[in-house]
Amino acid sequence: MRTRTTAGRLDRRSPGAKGAAVVAGFALVALAGCTASSPDEETPDNGFATREASDGTTTFVVVENPDGGQKLTFAKDGPMELLEVEDGGSTLAFKDMNANGELDPFEDWRLEPAERAADLADDLTIEQISGLMLFSSHERSPADGLTDAQKTYLSESHLRNVLNAGGSDVEENVTWVNAMQAYVESLGSDELPYVPANFSSDPRSEAQSGSSYVPTGSGVSLWPSVLGLAATFSPETVEDFARIASEEYRGLGISNALSPQIDLATEPRWLRVSGTLGENPELAAELAAAYVKGFQGTYDEDGAYVGFGEDTVPTTIKHAPGDGAGEGGRESHTSVGKYAVFPGDNLEDHAAVFEAASESLGMMTNYSIMLDGDGNPLLGDQAVGTAYNAEALRMIREDIGFDGAIVTDWGVMTGANDPDAFIATAWGAEGMEPVERYLQVLANGVDMFGGVNDSTLILEAYDLWTERFEAGELDVDADTRWQQSGARILTGYFAPGLFDSPFVELEQSLETVGSEANVAAGFDAQLDSVVMVKNDGTIAEGADWSDKTVYIPHTYDTGHAGLFGPGTYTEGATLSVEAAEELFGTVVTDTVEYDDEGQVTSMTAPDLSDVDAVLVGLRSPNNGEPFTAAGKDAETGAWYPFSLQWAPYTADGANVRTTSISGDTLEDGSKENRSYFGATSRISNQADIEAFERAVAAVEASGKDIPVVTIVKANNPVVPAEFEARSDAVLVGFGVSDLATLTVAAGQHEPQGRLPIGFPASMDAVEAQNEDVGEDMTTHVDAAGNDWAFGFGLSYAGPITD
């Protein structure tokens, strides 16, 4: 590792008048030799108390400061010592994190997080700040504990932002987190001030369509998807979710949320609609602010909001300034979907959601190259992804007003032509030298690099920045620029108390994560999010189905091949039989035959003579996943459409573009045409609508008047024309368990959800709408005259109104 002088104690920032007096007092205390008691002894007479805790692998000290002061934790056998300070008649404890025997401002938990962060950023070496700019690749196995590879990036590259992409087993997570925290604590010294590890997570609380109720103790509490939270139309529900989720995150040792995804879902085919707050900018803005408030704040005993606390987690709003306008719904994780198009000139609505949530301490930029309706760059004059787009970052910093830490999405620093490139999403910047990419992105105002474990190129960018500053090409010197990012990043560490208390008490976590109360709250939110869009009286309040027989047909999904391998084949009942058996007397399903590879060859409906109702689950038409490069045939290069209907859709209508807005510039200077005109969709779960048709045919064959209840398990809106007229009742669940939708179907909970995004009248209506404009699509109107537009939903009494 190269050594450098520190980025400065160039001019230590002075606290305000009150803080300055306190700091002076601290210095006197330190000079008087007031150091910590041994961690092994309790010191209640001194005002604070110490005790030991262990997860069975790592033992650490817990310090409880008096009068509600900050809790401290540090490894029992590590190098950390305590400093004692007299304040208002109490003796307070602080951690001596740079081993200098003095209480520095960054060590003082009474100061504001931003002030502490700025102070420490002045002390860190350039190597350390460069390490803070790193955000690890996905760590998927907490059960493996602290690995040699992790020790390498922690010690050699000073990486501290770790992406926890594993499961939610409490003991596995806590032991891994504590082992890593003890390790990084051992790396601290007077020359390299201590910096804890900061674990992050993508959303992990979604109940998932098709899952059943998860009992207490098996993981985190389960809630609707983000789109499902939007279906509640309730900021209170969203804030409650965020508060409970943040508490459970901290119980797993996670102290940063890579959420919420607040892209405006103006393109209904987009593969990431389920992670959004819907298509309406006003609702999305209100709910995004509530999400951030719930994760980043807590309330005192009097019910007053007090901001960050022990169980809070900084958020990372994404993907700024909005990534929901992929042409034709294609997704920007691969080159197939690298363009977002704005034919309606409506970036303002997308950006407004981010402005409403700008209290978030973190933000992630989108992948996409944003184009106007003529195919020209929407912002600036270069067709590049947002991290490389100086005008887009100016908009984020100045117009949106975001001043926190900005991270690129994963893979943005890698070009497709780089050696050993795997996930490579440096759209428009593929031709740049790697170090030039880092320099450009830092110059634009980005602070962190997603999916990068090695700081080599950041350090090379520091040298290049210095060279260009000295040549007069840059206005700010490298030390100042690195300190700026360091302060932004570190604020997200200090705000939740991570420097002071990085260790996790296993016993407390086991009581908190997936507690009975949290699980119940999550399930209640699932119930509240279910949308009833049709009911002829089949779904009745308080109905007793406990002695009734229901039929649930079978289905399968062939999956889509992608970056990580061939498609995954799945098959099973369209709704969870286990969940149905909790509510209905008897559940019957199809007779299914399989080939030697376990794939379905035939499905035959049973005799429905004794059946009282048919329940059919319809998952959204599966167009693929973000890494499947869906929309382009991998072998022929032919483009094909996404569809919101299950049956094959051929895109040959008058509203289908024959020339795409987006397209690469080809070697001969012409523009690539990404139009899918005349091509046919490739839905991998067409068997779902075939299951519905089989069920309807079985009802007709029975000669009985058996009600058909259709439950749409929605990741995107769907075209209801395929099923609505032949359904007696229709429910829509967004990322909820089958038990939730079935509970509503059984009349055990009055539906109160509303559609957060409209359901189209046809695929022709989808083709006619603009990718960047919400609520501009002709929506389905059923026989009762109900319009399945944004905001529609039924209760027992009829349409729900504001």
Side-chain angles (χ1 to χ4, degrees), residues 24-36 83-86 101-103:
F26 296 163
L28 291 173
V29 170
L31 291 171
C34 294
T35 57
L83 300 170
E84 297 180 14
V85 175
E86 296 295 327
E102 299 180 2
L103 184 60

Side-chain angles (χ1 to χ4, degrees), residues 397-409:
R397 289 295 188 192
E398 297 180 14
D399 298 346
I400 293 176
F402 184 76
D403 59 6
I406 298 178
V407 60
T408 70
D409 210 331

Side-chain angles (χ1 to χ4, degrees), residues 103-118:
L103 184 60
D104 296 290
F106 82 89
E107 297 166 331
D108 186 352
W109 44 260
R110 296 168 297 183
L111 300 180
E112 290 298 314
E115 184 176 350
R116 298 177 71 184

Side-chain angles (χ1 to χ4, degrees), residues 639-641 649-653 656-658 675-681:
W639 298 90
Y640 61 87
Y649 160 64
T650 299
D652 55 5
V656 180
R657 294 184 188 120
T658 55
S675 170
Y676 47 75
F677 183 85
T680 300
S681 60

Side-chain angles (χ1 to χ4, degrees), residues 453-511:
N453 289 6
D454 188 320
S455 63
T456 299
L457 286 170
I458 302 176
L459 293 171
E460 290 180 8
Y462 174 88
D463 291 336
L464 183 59
W465 188 297
T466 298
E467 176 185 322
R468 293 188 179 175
F469 171 74
E470 292 174 350
E473 298 176 24
L474 292 168
D475 295 333
V476 177
D477 65 272
D479 280 357
T480 299
R481 177 64 189 90
W482 260 243
Q483 289 168 14
Q484 181 185 51
S485 283
R488 290 170 179 159
I489 297 164
L490 288 168
T491 298
Y493 285 55
F494 283 112
L498 186 58
F499 269 85
D500 304 304
S501 186
F503 290 86
V504 184
E505 297 192 62
L506 179 58
E507 291 185 4
Q508 292 182 8
S509 295
L510 289 170
E511 293 176 357

Side-chain angles (χ1 to χ4, degrees), residues 549-553 577 586-590 606-608 611 613:
T549 298
V550 297
Y551 161 54
I552 299 174
V577 171
T586 302
V587 181
V588 297
T589 187
D590 294 328
D607 180 358
L608 302 190
V611 167

Side-chain angles (χ1 to χ4, degrees), residues 656-679:
V656 180
R657 294 184 188 120
T658 55
T659 301
S660 61
I661 293 174
S662 66
D664 295 343
T665 300
L666 304 177
E667 291 184 2
D668 64 2
S670 64
K671 182 178 177 179
E672 173 191 33
N673 185 4
R674 296 184 165 211
S675 170
Y676 47 75
F677 183 85

Side-chain angles (χ1 to χ4, degrees), residues 84-108:
E84 297 180 14
V85 175
E86 296 295 327
D87 184 358
S90 296
T91 302
L92 307 180
F94 301 84
K95 290 161 66 173
D96 188 7
M97 299 185 222
N98 60 359
N100 68 353
E102 299 180 2
L103 184 60
D104 296 290
F106 82 89
E107 297 166 331
D108 186 352

